[in-house]
Amino acid sequence: MIYLDYSATTPVSYDVLESYIRATKDFPGNPNSLHSLGVKSKTLMASAKKQISDIFNVLESEIIFTGGATMSNNLAIIGTCLANMKYGNHLIVSKLEHPSVYKICNYLESIGFEISYVDNDQDGLIDFNDLKRKMRPDTILVSICAVNSEVGTRQPLKMLRQIIKKENNNTIFHSDMTQALGKVSISLHDVDIASASAHKIYGPKGIGLLYKNSRVNITPLLYGSGPDIFNPGTPPVPLIVAFSKAIRLATNDIDKRENFVRRLNTILVDELSKIEGVIINQTKISIPHILNISLKNIKPETFIHALEDYEIYLSTNTACSSGELSTAVMAIFQDKKRASSTIRISLSHLTTTDELYKFIATFKKVYTRLSTLKTPTDLD
Ligand code: PMP
């Protein structure tokens, strides 16, 4: 098997799984219980949280666990809107967000919030002047992802923060860091709130986090028992312990891993750009882990299923919006045909050069076969 869909999800690392199993077996108590078994679980959970907050150099109270990045985005965006309605009803988001952010925005629009979409340049970099122009006294939130999930464009969050705060110091800056965490270095101090997910960094599915600076007010979306007002109920201690381990492992050696993935990306781009009919959707600010391409002559779904016969796995645009027009390719390259024929190849430090060359050879073989078979389509 050659897995090249690491941006959709990652396999759980063995060490992370071991932490999960140990915490499950040895810490059965509910951390909300008063007895010693409960206290033991609570202490373990607190130390896992402390490890996370130490890595990011933030307060423990600033880390909120959620069920994944979709839930973090919901809590971040809706929670901020509900808590800050008295200051305004205007939000700014980029055209490079994950579908979950747009769905949240659609909901907010339906209940009276106003959304502006900030432009980006031809590299996918946020247009600073457009951001300045769109900022208003009633702008309560700006949400811009750290790394786009389809084309991998990475934003200069620190600079964006400066622009936002200069225009309106009360505006809250949220960043969906799901595709950045563990791939490139990030600083939570560049933003007010940030979303992330464990399953993108070799952790388990079903847990994510929201960083929320202590000065920022958000309204909880869930109500229930337990001391955690944002995530009530019984805390999933093994998932929290495993997430903490995954963050520690993913943030170690991050530069070395990134350099390795960059070398893989260069090989891939060199080889695929030689194939007629393959368009490389990579820009100066794309991270190397995500390589988006468009196929001129073949439907992306057909190609992906054909590769499956060779046990090669990758995605069309994102796993969460397969089959639809790629919003990011559209926002960056402004070309509907190109945006409707995308494939995302996502690499990891676990990808071997041997796997990569096998993939390239199979890609060429399948591409040639399907191109010669093809009947002209509207993608020509
Ligand atoms: N944001 C981004 C940028 C993503 O790539 C994803 C996952 N595809 C999500 C949010 C949703 O994450 P989760 O699956 O953890 O809900």
Side-chain angles (χ1 to χ4, degrees), residues 1 59 64 69 136 184 186 262 296 310 319-320 360 365:
M1 174 177 93
L59 302 174
I64 299 162
R136 307 191 321 211
V184 291
I186 49 155
R262 195 169 293 285
K296 262 195 183 157
Y310 298 86
C320 310
I360 292 165
K365 188 163 73 181

Side-chain angles (χ1 to χ4, degrees), residues 7 68-70 73 98 100 147 149 176 178-179 197 199-200 320:
S7 283
T70 301
N73 284 341
H98 184 261
S100 61
V147 167
S149 61
D176 180 348
T178 311
Q179 292 291 349
S197 195
H199 75 94
K200 306 282 188 190
C320 310

Side-chain angles (χ1 to χ4, degrees), residues 54-160:
D54 282 351
I55 288 170
F56 295 120
N57 194 19
V58 299
L59 302 174
E60 284 158 71
S61 57
E62 293 177 321
I63 300 291
I64 299 162
F65 293 111
T66 65
T70 301
M71 287 194 200
S72 302
N73 284 341
N74 273 269
L75 180 56
I77 301 173
I78 301 175
T80 300
C81 286
L82 296 182
N84 293 279
M85 269 152 66
K86 53 183 177 298
Y87 302 115
N89 73 338
H90 181 237
L91 284 80
I92 300 175
V93 301
S94 84
K95 296 176 179 172
L96 300 162
E97 299 304 308
H98 184 261
S100 61
V101 172
Y102 297 123
K103 296 222 167 125
I104 297 165
C105 289
N106 293 345
Y107 163 67
L108 286 169
E109 246 172 350
S110 77
I111 58 166
F113 286 89
E114 193 189 332
I115 321 282
S116 298
Y117 294 87
V118 61
D119 290 337
N120 50 264
D121 70 9
Q122 72 280 7
D123 283 317
L125 180 71
I126 295 300
D127 180 335
F128 299 159
N129 289 325
D130 191 50
L131 178 59
K132 267 190 221 164
R133 261 194 308 275
K134 287 189 167 133
M135 287 288 300
R136 307 191 321 211
D138 64 342
T139 306
I140 50 177
L141 178 77
V142 175
S143 183
I144 297 173
C145 58
V147 167
N148 163 265
S149 61
E150 295 178 68
V151 182
T153 46
R154 180 183 185 184
Q155 302 299 334
L157 298 179
K158 198 179 185 134
M159 212 180 290
L160 292 171

Side-chain angles (χ1 to χ4, degrees), residues 275-290:
I275 306 173
E276 216 204 301
V278 172
I279 306 166
I280 308 286
N281 301 320
Q282 181 165 262
T283 86
K284 282 200 288 247
I285 60 164
S286 295
I287 63 162
H289 309 69
I290 297 176

Side-chain angles (χ1 to χ4, degrees), residues 1-5 304 307-308 310-315:
M1 174 177 93
I2 301 178
Y3 185 74
L4 295 172
D5 202 14
I304 277 172
L307 285 178
E308 247 181 281
Y310 298 86
E311 292 190 41
I312 294 176
Y313 301 98
L314 32 85
S315 278

